[in-house]
Amino acid sequence: MTDTQPKTPFLPDDAATSWPPVAVPGQPSGATAPSAEEDHDAASSTPLPEGAQILDDLRVQIKRYVAMPSEEAVTAVALWIAATHLQRAWQHAPRLAIVAPEKRCGKSRLLDVVTETVHNRLITVNATAAAIFRSIDGDDPPTLLVDEADAMFSTTTAAEKNEEVRGLINAGHQRGRPTLRVSGPEHQVQEFPTFAMAALAGIGDLPDTIMDRAVVIRMRRRAAGEKVASFRTGRDTPALNAIRDRLHAWLQALYAQAMEMEPPMPVEDRAADTWEPLVIIADLAGGDWPVLARAACRAMTDYEAGQDEEGGLRTRLLVGIRRAFAAVGDPAVLSTKHLLESLNADREAPWAEYGANGLTPRGLQLLLKPYGIGSANRRFPDGTQAKGFARNQFLDTWARYCPEPKASDAPASSADGPLPGTAA
């Protein structure tokens, strides 16, 4: 008798004769694994989420007409524009500061693109604070757009004249900061809302208090090889308006969801307040946008922090004092005379503006007064006494306003022992 053989399924002539070595997760056990080419085709054919596609289209339009300074700047502008369509959901209304060192850097052209894509635009070149806050609707805020903002703040006289406008722009960064006015025949006190997103374009930096509340786009003049399309209002605005309408339709349905979101942020404090609406928009959009938004946030806020360290007068003074201490081995005490000599030796510092001999002891005292730091009589190794500062007076202030640079960037000590005017 012959043994019974197990029956095998009939295979067509052109069928594979070997079984897959392992089962494929998510597929029937008899199915074969897709090839690498099939995986790539499937990924590339997967449609983008609606929000990501709209933002991608907006990015294309921005780059079509404007030579942007970086890809991070393109990401930031696209997200800021989208965020204007959900202003009712935000606790903070980030400003968009479009600044340039000179004319013909593209700031007005970028403002043109922004104007045609934001929600409920309110554009002005020169307006009073009263006209602005009477135009802001608390239930559906407009997007305030100010061109040639440098004319409002570039001189002391202009800045004083427009101090009320600056205060209004600052107040409108946070919800619940109304301005009060007496109005009507009975002189009743009336609250006017100030909360609204705002974009300001100008030559040179805007006032520090505005820059600190802004996503800053630092435009530059186009290089020879950078080409952009010309912008014609009648021809080009319909396409931009179509993107505006798509943004609005997409985001209005997400209002409640946006209200509840508290996304992880790569920055803290006011920078986080300013960038949070943009990051929420990116998270709602999906695709690559959550990663792009956080990368742009980190890079652009780091850059502005560096600008503040080099440009903020008091911050620059603190950095200069730290360098003066480090240059002589970080002694416990440094005389006022030695400190001023070190500060005034920096030819690129602004201290020359303080007089023929640069920064004076009185000027130094006034600049340090807001930090609660002052000079006092100090005793030095050679037995002499003189006005000076203790290093530990600055430690907390340095940590708060200009954190210590990385070890690789720290200045090396240039002295082996105490120098005149110093104490170990």
Side-chain angles (χ1 to χ4, degrees):
M1 177 184 293
T2 59
D3 293 334
T4 304
Q5 299 294 323
K7 294 182 178 180
T8 58
F10 172 76
L11 298 175
D13 293 339
D14 59 348
T17 57
S18 61
W19 295 96
V22 293
V24 179
Q27 296 184 356
S29 59
T32 59
S35 66
E37 291 79 5
E38 290 171 334
D39 273 340
H40 176 76
D41 292 343
S44 61
S45 63
T46 302
L48 285 173
E50 179 186 13
Q53 183 60 65
I54 298 173
L55 290 177
D56 283 353
D57 293 344
L58 177 56
R59 173 194 289 275
V60 170
Q61 291 294 324
I62 294 171
K63 295 174 70 174
R64 179 183 179 188
Y65 299 110
V66 186
M68 296 294 289
S70 67
E71 287 297 323
E72 289 83 2
V74 182
T75 296
V77 171
L79 291 171
W80 188 89
I81 289 170
T84 67
H85 293 269
L86 269 186
Q87 291 191 61
R88 295 182 303 122
W90 313 135
Q91 178 62 27
H92 293 87
R95 280 69 187 97
L96 185 71
I98 306 170
V99 298
E102 298 180 9
K103 296 182 290 184
R104 297 192 291 116
C105 288
K107 57 181 179 56
S108 294
R109 178 64 66 243
L110 177 57
L111 195 63
D112 287 338
V113 175
V114 170
T115 298
E116 299 300 336
T117 48
V118 297
H119 170 64
N120 191 18
R121 69 190 188 190
L122 176 61
I123 189 165
T124 180
V125 173
N126 187 16
T128 65
I132 293 173
F133 66 68
R134 282 181 166 82
S135 301
I136 295 176
D137 180 352
D139 296 326
D140 185 20
T143 304
L144 179 63
L145 306 169
V146 183
D147 199 3
E148 299 183 13
D150 52 298
M152 302 172 67
F153 308 111
S154 59
T155 67
T156 302
T157 302
E160 290 176 353
K161 179 182 177 182
N162 292 289
E163 177 61 21
E164 192 175 7
V165 174
R166 185 190 65 83
L168 175 65
I169 293 172
N170 291 341
H173 178 257
Q174 184 171 345
R175 189 176 293 280
R177 298 291 188 272
T179 186
L180 301 179
R181 290 293 185 275
V182 175
S183 62
E186 298 182 0
H187 303 288
Q188 296 291 323
V189 176
Q190 183 177 355
E191 290 188 357
F192 291 90
T194 62
F195 183 80
M197 291 179 67
L200 301 95
I203 296 174
D205 282 5
L206 301 170
D208 290 345
T209 53
I210 295 177
M211 298 289 278
D212 192 41
R213 293 166 169 82
V215 174
V216 181
I217 309 299
R218 295 189 176 275
M219 300 299 291
R220 59 189 183 185
R221 191 167 291 181
R222 279 192 292 129
E226 293 179 310
K227 304 295 183 184
V228 293
S230 60
F231 184 84
R232 297 291 181 269
T233 301
R235 180 192 66 197
D236 299 322
T237 55
L240 295 174
N241 293 164
I243 291 179
R244 176 198 63 197
D245 296 342
R246 290 168 62 198
L247 281 170
H248 196 73
W250 164 54
L251 288 167
Q252 288 313 292
L254 302 175
Y255 167 74
Q257 183 179 348
M259 282 278 293
E260 300 299 322
M261 293 176 68
E262 295 184 15
M265 298 292 296
V267 293
E268 298 177 338
D269 302 325
R270 179 162 284 162
D273 295 338
T274 296
W275 278 84
E276 186 181 67
L278 280 65
V279 171
I280 290 176
I281 291 292
D283 287 350
L284 291 172
D288 294 333
W289 283 91
V291 173
L292 293 173
R294 288 171 173 84
C297 173
R298 187 179 299 107
M300 294 174 70
T301 53
D302 283 352
Y303 182 82
E304 291 306 314
Q307 291 293 106
D308 181 66
E309 178 175 320
E310 293 300 319
L313 187 63
R314 286 192 171 90
T315 305
R316 183 161 185 169
L317 176 64
L318 292 174
V319 172
I321 293 173
R322 183 168 61 198
R323 289 171 180 164
F325 272 94
V328 291
D330 284 326
V333 176
L334 195 63
S335 70
T336 300
K337 179 177 181 293
H338 188 96
L339 182 55
L340 287 172
E341 287 175 352
S342 176
L343 291 170
N344 289 323
D346 183 358
R347 299 304 179 189
E348 295 184 0
W351 317 129
E353 300 173 7
Y354 279 70
N357 297 317
L359 192 61
T360 64
R362 175 64 175 163
L364 181 62
Q365 286 280 80
L366 291 175
L367 287 172
L368 292 176
K369 185 177 179 180
Y371 303 113
I373 299 173
S375 65
N377 287 324
R378 308 286 178 181
R379 183 177 295 278
F380 295 90
D382 60 2
T384 61
Q385 289 189 6
K387 288 286 188 180
F389 294 85
R391 185 174 183 274
N392 60 16
Q393 288 180 275
F394 296 95
L395 296 180
D396 181 71
T397 303
W398 285 337
R400 293 177 185 275
Y401 296 97
C402 50
E404 194 74 34
K406 297 178 181 178
S408 60
D409 297 330
S413 172
S414 60
D416 296 326
L419 298 181
T422 72

PDB file of all heavy atoms in Angstrom, residues 161-190:
ATOM      1  N   LYS A 161       4.439 111.830  18.627  1.00  0.00           N
ATOM      2  CA  LYS A 161       3.133 112.109  18.047  1.00  0.00           C
ATOM      3  C   LYS A 161       2.280 110.843  17.946  1.00  0.00           C
ATOM      4  O   LYS A 161       1.047 110.899  18.103  1.00  0.00           O
ATOM      5  CB  LYS A 161       3.316 112.723  16.656  1.00  0.00           C
ATOM      6  CG  LYS A 161       2.014 113.032  15.936  1.00  0.00           C
ATOM      7  CD  LYS A 161       2.287 113.590  14.550  1.00  0.00           C
ATOM      8  CE  LYS A 161       0.996 113.830  13.787  1.00  0.00           C
ATOM      9  NZ  LYS A 161       1.250 114.335  12.415  1.00  0.00           N
ATOM     10  N   ASN A 162       2.935 109.698  17.711  1.00  0.00           N
ATOM     11  CA  ASN A 162       2.206 108.454  17.500  1.00  0.00           C
ATOM     12  C   ASN A 162       2.326 107.495  18.684  1.00  0.00           C
ATOM     13  O   ASN A 162       2.117 106.291  18.526  1.00  0.00           O
ATOM     14  CB  ASN A 162       2.725 107.763  16.233  1.00  0.00           C
ATOM     15  CG  ASN A 162       2.376 108.537  14.977  1.00  0.00           C
ATOM     16  OD1 ASN A 162       1.224 108.588  14.566  1.00  0.00           O
ATOM     17  ND2 ASN A 162       3.377 109.150  14.373  1.00  0.00           N
ATOM     18  N   GLU A 163       2.634 108.033  19.852  1.00  0.00           N
ATOM     19  CA  GLU A 163       2.765 107.185  21.032  1.00  0.00           C
ATOM     20  C   GLU A 163       1.469 106.440  21.338  1.00  0.00           C
ATOM     21  O   GLU A 163       1.468 105.281  21.759  1.00  0.00           O
ATOM     22  CB  GLU A 163       3.182 108.033  22.236  1.00  0.00           C
ATOM     23  CG  GLU A 163       3.276 107.277  23.542  1.00  0.00           C
ATOM     24  CD  GLU A 163       4.306 106.159  23.525  1.00  0.00           C
ATOM     25  OE1 GLU A 163       5.223 106.196  22.679  1.00  0.00           O
ATOM     26  OE2 GLU A 163       4.175 105.234  24.354  1.00  0.00           O
ATOM     27  N   GLU A 164       0.334 107.094  21.101  1.00  0.00           N
ATOM     28  CA  GLU A 164      -0.958 106.459  21.360  1.00  0.00           C
ATOM     29  C   GLU A 164      -1.182 105.284  20.405  1.00  0.00           C
ATOM     30  O   GLU A 164      -1.735 104.253  20.804  1.00  0.00           O
ATOM     31  CB  GLU A 164      -2.085 107.476  21.230  1.00  0.00           C
ATOM     32  CG  GLU A 164      -3.419 106.963  21.762  1.00  0.00           C
ATOM     33  CD  GLU A 164      -4.496 108.028  21.734  1.00  0.00           C
ATOM     34  OE1 GLU A 164      -4.248 109.119  21.178  1.00  0.00           O
ATOM     35  OE2 GLU A 164      -5.591 107.757  22.258  1.00  0.00           O
ATOM     36  N   VAL A 165      -0.738 105.417  19.163  1.00  0.00           N
ATOM     37  CA  VAL A 165      -0.865 104.324  18.202  1.00  0.00           C
ATOM     38  C   VAL A 165       0.005 103.142  18.630  1.00  0.00           C
ATOM     39  O   VAL A 165      -0.422 101.987  18.575  1.00  0.00           O
ATOM     40  CB  VAL A 165      -0.486 104.792  16.784  1.00  0.00           C
ATOM     41  CG1 VAL A 165      -0.480 103.616  15.812  1.00  0.00           C
ATOM     42  CG2 VAL A 165      -1.446 105.863  16.297  1.00  0.00           C
ATOM     43  N   ARG A 166       1.225 103.444  19.066  1.00  0.00           N
ATOM     44  CA  ARG A 166       2.114 102.376  19.535  1.00  0.00           C
ATOM     45  C   ARG A 166       1.498 101.638  20.725  1.00  0.00           C
ATOM     46  O   ARG A 166       1.508 100.413  20.791  1.00  0.00           O
ATOM     47  CB  ARG A 166       3.470 102.950  19.937  1.00  0.00           C
ATOM     48  CG  ARG A 166       4.499 101.892  20.316  1.00  0.00           C
ATOM     49  CD  ARG A 166       5.740 102.521  20.927  1.00  0.00           C
ATOM     50  NE  ARG A 166       5.442 103.162  22.199  1.00  0.00           N
ATOM     51  CZ  ARG A 166       5.373 102.512  23.360  1.00  0.00           C
ATOM     52  NH1 ARG A 166       5.581 101.204  23.407  1.00  0.00           N
ATOM     53  NH2 ARG A 166       5.092 103.167  24.467  1.00  0.00           N
ATOM     54  N   GLY A 167       0.936 102.400  21.657  1.00  0.00           N
ATOM     55  CA  GLY A 167       0.285 101.778  22.804  1.00  0.00           C
ATOM     56  C   GLY A 167      -0.891 100.912  22.393  1.00  0.00           C
ATOM     57  O   GLY A 167      -1.118  99.834  22.961  1.00  0.00           O
ATOM     58  N   LEU A 168      -1.646 101.373  21.396  1.00  0.00           N
ATOM     59  CA  LEU A 168      -2.788 100.603  20.902  1.00  0.00           C
ATOM     60  C   LEU A 168      -2.329  99.296  20.258  1.00  0.00           C
ATOM     61  O   LEU A 168      -2.912  98.227  20.490  1.00  0.00           O
ATOM     62  CB  LEU A 168      -3.574 101.445  19.899  1.00  0.00           C
ATOM     63  CG  LEU A 168      -4.747 100.766  19.188  1.00  0.00           C
ATOM     64  CD1 LEU A 168      -5.830 100.403  20.179  1.00  0.00           C
ATOM     65  CD2 LEU A 168      -5.308 101.667  18.102  1.00  0.00           C
ATOM     66  N   ILE A 169      -1.272  99.363  19.451  1.00  0.00           N
ATOM     67  CA  ILE A 169      -0.751  98.162  18.795  1.00  0.00           C
ATOM     68  C   ILE A 169      -0.236  97.163  19.835  1.00  0.00           C
ATOM     69  O   ILE A 169      -0.457  95.957  19.722  1.00  0.00           O
ATOM     70  CB  ILE A 169       0.352  98.544  17.795  1.00  0.00           C
ATOM     71  CG1 ILE A 169      -0.250  99.337  16.629  1.00  0.00           C
ATOM     72  CG2 ILE A 169       1.061  97.299  17.275  1.00  0.00           C
ATOM     73  CD1 ILE A 169       0.776  99.931  15.696  1.00  0.00           C
ATOM     74  N   ASN A 170       0.421  97.672  20.878  1.00  0.00           N
ATOM     75  CA  ASN A 170       0.908  96.790  21.931  1.00  0.00           C
ATOM     76  C   ASN A 170      -0.244  96.155  22.710  1.00  0.00           C
ATOM     77  O   ASN A 170      -0.226  94.960  22.996  1.00  0.00           O
ATOM     78  CB  ASN A 170       1.815  97.559  22.892  1.00  0.00           C
ATOM     79  CG  ASN A 170       3.128  97.955  22.259  1.00  0.00           C
ATOM     80  OD1 ASN A 170       3.528  97.394  21.248  1.00  0.00           O
ATOM     81  ND2 ASN A 170       3.792  98.937  22.842  1.00  0.00           N
ATOM     82  N   ALA A 171      -1.248  96.968  23.056  1.00  0.00           N
ATOM     83  CA  ALA A 171      -2.378  96.454  23.828  1.00  0.00           C
ATOM     84  C   ALA A 171      -3.146  95.398  23.053  1.00  0.00           C
ATOM     85  O   ALA A 171      -3.632  94.409  23.626  1.00  0.00           O
ATOM     86  CB  ALA A 171      -3.301  97.607  24.225  1.00  0.00           C
ATOM     87  N   GLY A 172      -3.261  95.586  21.736  1.00  0.00           N
ATOM     88  CA  GLY A 172      -4.028  94.660  20.921  1.00  0.00           C
ATOM     89  C   GLY A 172      -3.396  93.300  20.741  1.00  0.00           C
ATOM     90  O   GLY A 172      -3.993  92.405  20.138  1.00  0.00           O
ATOM     91  N   HIS A 173      -2.186  93.116  21.260  1.00  0.00           N
ATOM     92  CA  HIS A 173      -1.530  91.807  21.167  1.00  0.00           C
ATOM     93  C   HIS A 173      -2.205  90.778  22.054  1.00  0.00           C
ATOM     94  O   HIS A 173      -2.158  89.580  21.769  1.00  0.00           O
ATOM     95  CB  HIS A 173      -0.055  91.954  21.566  1.00  0.00           C
ATOM     96  CG  HIS A 173       0.716  90.686  21.554  1.00  0.00           C
ATOM     97  ND1 HIS A 173       1.044  89.987  22.710  1.00  0.00           N
ATOM     98  CD2 HIS A 173       1.238  89.964  20.535  1.00  0.00           C
ATOM     99  CE1 HIS A 173       1.739  88.911  22.397  1.00  0.00           C
ATOM    100  NE2 HIS A 173       1.859  88.873  21.095  1.00  0.00           N
ATOM    101  N   GLN A 174      -2.867  91.224  23.118  1.00  0.00           N
ATOM    102  CA  GLN A 174      -3.487  90.297  24.073  1.00  0.00           C
ATOM    103  C   GLN A 174      -4.967  90.592  24.210  1.00  0.00           C
ATOM    104  O   GLN A 174      -5.384  91.750  24.265  1.00  0.00           O
ATOM    105  CB  GLN A 174      -2.807  90.402  25.432  1.00  0.00           C
ATOM    106  CG  GLN A 174      -3.317  89.400  26.454  1.00  0.00           C
ATOM    107  CD  GLN A 174      -2.478  89.386  27.714  1.00  0.00           C
ATOM    108  OE1 GLN A 174      -1.366  89.904  27.728  1.00  0.00           O
ATOM    109  NE2 GLN A 174      -2.991  88.779  28.768  1.00  0.00           N
ATOM    110  N   ARG A 175      -5.760  89.537  24.287  1.00  0.00           N
ATOM    111  CA  ARG A 175      -7.198  89.706  24.442  1.00  0.00           C
ATOM    112  C   ARG A 175      -7.514  90.333  25.802  1.00  0.00           C
ATOM    113  O   ARG A 175      -6.819  90.095  26.797  1.00  0.00           O
ATOM    114  CB  ARG A 175      -7.879  88.348  24.314  1.00  0.00           C
ATOM    115  CG  ARG A 175      -9.389  88.405  24.245  1.00  0.00           C
ATOM    116  CD  ARG A 175      -9.966  87.024  24.026  1.00  0.00           C
ATOM    117  NE  ARG A 175      -9.613  86.510  22.711  1.00  0.00           N
ATOM    118  CZ  ARG A 175     -10.228  86.846  21.582  1.00  0.00           C
ATOM    119  NH1 ARG A 175     -11.216  87.726  21.602  1.00  0.00           N
ATOM    120  NH2 ARG A 175      -9.870  86.298  20.437  1.00  0.00           N
ATOM    121  N   GLY A 176      -8.567  91.134  25.841  1.00  0.00           N
ATOM    122  CA  GLY A 176      -9.007  91.702  27.102  1.00  0.00           C
ATOM    123  C   GLY A 176      -8.237  92.927  27.551  1.00  0.00           C
ATOM    124  O   GLY A 176      -8.098  93.164  28.753  1.00  0.00           O
ATOM    125  N   ARG A 177      -7.686  93.697  26.591  1.00  0.00           N
ATOM    126  CA  ARG A 177      -6.979  94.936  26.919  1.00  0.00           C
ATOM    127  C   ARG A 177      -7.649  96.097  26.184  1.00  0.00           C
ATOM    128  O   ARG A 177      -7.106  96.665  25.243  1.00  0.00           O
ATOM    129  CB  ARG A 177      -5.499  94.843  26.511  1.00  0.00           C
ATOM    130  CG  ARG A 177      -4.726  93.751  27.219  1.00  0.00           C
ATOM    131  CD  ARG A 177      -4.539  94.085  28.692  1.00  0.00           C
ATOM    132  NE  ARG A 177      -3.638  93.144  29.355  1.00  0.00           N
ATOM    133  CZ  ARG A 177      -4.024  92.010  29.915  1.00  0.00           C
ATOM    134  NH1 ARG A 177      -5.307  91.671  29.881  1.00  0.00           N
ATOM    135  NH2 ARG A 177      -3.160  91.219  30.515  1.00  0.00           N
ATOM    136  N   PRO A 178      -8.858  96.484  26.599  1.00  0.00           N
ATOM    137  CA  PRO A 178      -9.567  97.556  25.882  1.00  0.00           C
ATOM    138  C   PRO A 178      -8.984  98.921  26.200  1.00  0.00           C
ATOM    139  O   PRO A 178      -8.291  99.111  27.200  1.00  0.00           O
ATOM    140  CB  PRO A 178     -10.994  97.434  26.419  1.00  0.00           C
ATOM    141  CG  PRO A 178     -10.809  96.912  27.816  1.00  0.00           C
ATOM    142  CD  PRO A 178      -9.635  95.974  27.738  1.00  0.00           C
ATOM    143  N   THR A 179      -9.266  99.882  25.335  1.00  0.00           N
ATOM    144  CA  THR A 179      -8.947 101.271  25.604  1.00  0.00           C
ATOM    145  C   THR A 179     -10.228 101.967  26.062  1.00  0.00           C
ATOM    146  O   THR A 179     -11.331 101.623  25.617  1.00  0.00           O
ATOM    147  CB  THR A 179      -8.356 101.970  24.373  1.00  0.00           C
ATOM    148  OG1 THR A 179      -7.932 103.283  24.733  1.00  0.00           O
ATOM    149  CG2 THR A 179      -9.364 102.053  23.236  1.00  0.00           C
ATOM    150  N   LEU A 180     -10.105 102.909  26.974  1.00  0.00           N
ATOM    151  CA  LEU A 180     -11.267 103.598  27.530  1.00  0.00           C
ATOM    152  C   LEU A 180     -11.341 105.012  26.981  1.00  0.00           C
ATOM    153  O   LEU A 180     -10.334 105.723  26.915  1.00  0.00           O
ATOM    154  CB  LEU A 180     -11.170 103.646  29.061  1.00  0.00           C
ATOM    155  CG  LEU A 180     -11.078 102.299  29.793  1.00  0.00           C
ATOM    156  CD1 LEU A 180     -10.970 102.524  31.291  1.00  0.00           C
ATOM    157  CD2 LEU A 180     -12.268 101.416  29.464  1.00  0.00           C
ATOM    158  N   ARG A 181     -12.544 105.430  26.616  1.00  0.00           N
ATOM    159  CA  ARG A 181     -12.767 106.780  26.141  1.00  0.00           C
ATOM    160  C   ARG A 181     -14.084 107.309  26.713  1.00  0.00           C
ATOM    161  O   ARG A 181     -15.028 106.542  26.956  1.00  0.00           O
ATOM    162  CB  ARG A 181     -12.844 106.813  24.604  1.00  0.00           C
ATOM    163  CG  ARG A 181     -11.521 106.542  23.916  1.00  0.00           C
ATOM    164  CD  ARG A 181     -10.531 107.663  24.161  1.00  0.00           C
ATOM    165  NE  ARG A 181      -9.288 107.491  23.424  1.00  0.00           N
ATOM    166  CZ  ARG A 181      -8.254 106.765  23.835  1.00  0.00           C
ATOM    167  NH1 ARG A 181      -8.331 106.113  24.989  1.00  0.00           N
ATOM    168  NH2 ARG A 181      -7.161 106.687  23.110  1.00  0.00           N
ATOM    169  N   VAL A 182     -14.115 108.592  26.931  1.00  0.00           N
ATOM    170  CA  VAL A 182     -15.356 109.253  27.326  1.00  0.00           C
ATOM    171  C   VAL A 182     -16.067 109.681  26.055  1.00  0.00           C
ATOM    172  O   VAL A 182     -15.486 110.369  25.209  1.00  0.00           O
ATOM    173  CB  VAL A 182     -15.078 110.474  28.222  1.00  0.00           C
ATOM    174  CG1 VAL A 182     -16.373 111.222  28.514  1.00  0.00           C
ATOM    175  CG2 VAL A 182     -14.414 110.039  29.512  1.00  0.00           C
ATOM    176  N   SER A 183     -17.304 109.276  25.891  1.00  0.00           N
ATOM    177  CA  SER A 183     -18.022 109.577  24.646  1.00  0.00           C
ATOM    178  C   SER A 183     -19.488 109.850  24.932  1.00  0.00           C
ATOM    179  O   SER A 183     -20.013 109.528  26.008  1.00  0.00           O
ATOM    180  CB  SER A 183     -17.885 108.400  23.664  1.00  0.00           C
ATOM    181  OG  SER A 183     -18.474 107.232  24.203  1.00  0.00           O
ATOM    182  N   GLY A 184     -20.135 110.452  23.944  1.00  0.00           N
ATOM    183  CA  GLY A 184     -21.557 110.737  24.056  1.00  0.00           C
ATOM    184  C   GLY A 184     -21.842 112.016  24.807  1.00  0.00           C
ATOM    185  O   GLY A 184     -20.983 112.549  25.519  1.00  0.00           O
ATOM    186  N   PRO A 185     -23.045 112.505  24.669  1.00  0.00           N
ATOM    187  CA  PRO A 185     -23.414 113.773  25.331  1.00  0.00           C
ATOM    188  C   PRO A 185     -23.382 113.678  26.845  1.00  0.00           C
ATOM    189  O   PRO A 185     -23.232 114.689  27.533  1.00  0.00           O
ATOM    190  CB  PRO A 185     -24.833 114.045  24.807  1.00  0.00           C
ATOM    191  CG  PRO A 185     -25.353 112.706  24.375  1.00  0.00           C
ATOM    192  CD  PRO A 185     -24.173 111.945  23.887  1.00  0.00           C
ATOM    193  N   GLU A 186     -23.532 112.476  27.409  1.00  0.00           N
ATOM    194  CA  GLU A 186     -23.514 112.315  28.862  1.00  0.00           C
ATOM    195  C   GLU A 186     -22.124 111.959  29.377  1.00  0.00           C
ATOM    196  O   GLU A 186     -21.958 111.657  30.555  1.00  0.00           O
ATOM    197  CB  GLU A 186     -24.520 111.234  29.275  1.00  0.00           C
ATOM    198  CG  GLU A 186     -25.955 111.592  28.910  1.00  0.00           C
ATOM    199  CD  GLU A 186     -26.940 110.537  29.365  1.00  0.00           C
ATOM    200  OE1 GLU A 186     -26.494 109.531  29.967  1.00  0.00           O
ATOM    201  OE2 GLU A 186     -28.133 110.719  29.124  1.00  0.00           O
ATOM    202  N   HIS A 187     -21.145 111.953  28.483  1.00  0.00           N
ATOM    203  CA  HIS A 187     -19.752 111.701  28.854  1.00  0.00           C
ATOM    204  C   HIS A 187     -19.591 110.381  29.613  1.00  0.00           C
ATOM    205  O   HIS A 187     -18.969 110.324  30.669  1.00  0.00           O
ATOM    206  CB  HIS A 187     -19.203 112.870  29.694  1.00  0.00           C
ATOM    207  CG  HIS A 187     -19.297 114.190  29.008  1.00  0.00           C
ATOM    208  ND1 HIS A 187     -18.489 114.534  27.948  1.00  0.00           N
ATOM    209  CD2 HIS A 187     -20.136 115.249  29.211  1.00  0.00           C
ATOM    210  CE1 HIS A 187     -18.798 115.753  27.531  1.00  0.00           C
ATOM    211  NE2 HIS A 187     -19.793 116.202  28.275  1.00  0.00           N
ATOM    212  N   GLN A 188     -20.160 109.356  29.046  1.00  0.00           N
ATOM    213  CA  GLN A 188     -20.040 108.026  29.634  1.00  0.00           C
ATOM    214  C   GLN A 188     -18.715 107.388  29.231  1.00  0.00           C
ATOM    215  O   GLN A 188     -18.248 107.555  28.094  1.00  0.00           O
ATOM    216  CB  GLN A 188     -21.192 107.132  29.153  1.00  0.00           C
ATOM    217  CG  GLN A 188     -22.577 107.602  29.594  1.00  0.00           C
ATOM    218  CD  GLN A 188     -22.766 107.445  31.093  1.00  0.00           C
ATOM    219  OE1 GLN A 188     -22.290 106.491  31.697  1.00  0.00           O
ATOM    220  NE2 GLN A 188     -23.458 108.405  31.699  1.00  0.00           N
ATOM    221  N   VAL A 189     -18.115 106.664  30.162  1.00  0.00           N
ATOM    222  CA  VAL A 189     -16.895 105.920  29.849  1.00  0.00           C
ATOM    223  C   VAL A 189     -17.266 104.699  29.024  1.00  0.00           C
ATOM    224  O   VAL A 189     -18.156 103.923  29.405  1.00  0.00           O
ATOM    225  CB  VAL A 189     -16.161 105.497  31.135  1.00  0.00           C
ATOM    226  CG1 VAL A 189     -14.940 104.642  30.789  1.00  0.00           C
ATOM    227  CG2 VAL A 189     -15.738 106.711  31.938  1.00  0.00           C
ATOM    228  N   GLN A 190     -16.596 104.542  27.906  1.00  0.00           N
ATOM    229  CA  GLN A 190     -16.898 103.436  26.995  1.00  0.00           C
ATOM    230  C   GLN A 190     -15.638 102.634  26.703  1.00  0.00           C
ATOM    231  O   GLN A 190     -14.559 103.195  26.517  1.00  0.00           O
ATOM    232  CB  GLN A 190     -17.482 103.973  25.685  1.00  0.00           C
ATOM    233  CG  GLN A 190     -17.907 102.893  24.700  1.00  0.00           C
ATOM    234  CD  GLN A 190     -18.551 103.477  23.453  1.00  0.00           C
ATOM    235  OE1 GLN A 190     -18.769 104.690  23.365  1.00  0.00           O
ATOM    236  NE2 GLN A 190     -18.853 102.624  22.492  1.00  0.00           N
TER     237      GLN A 190
END
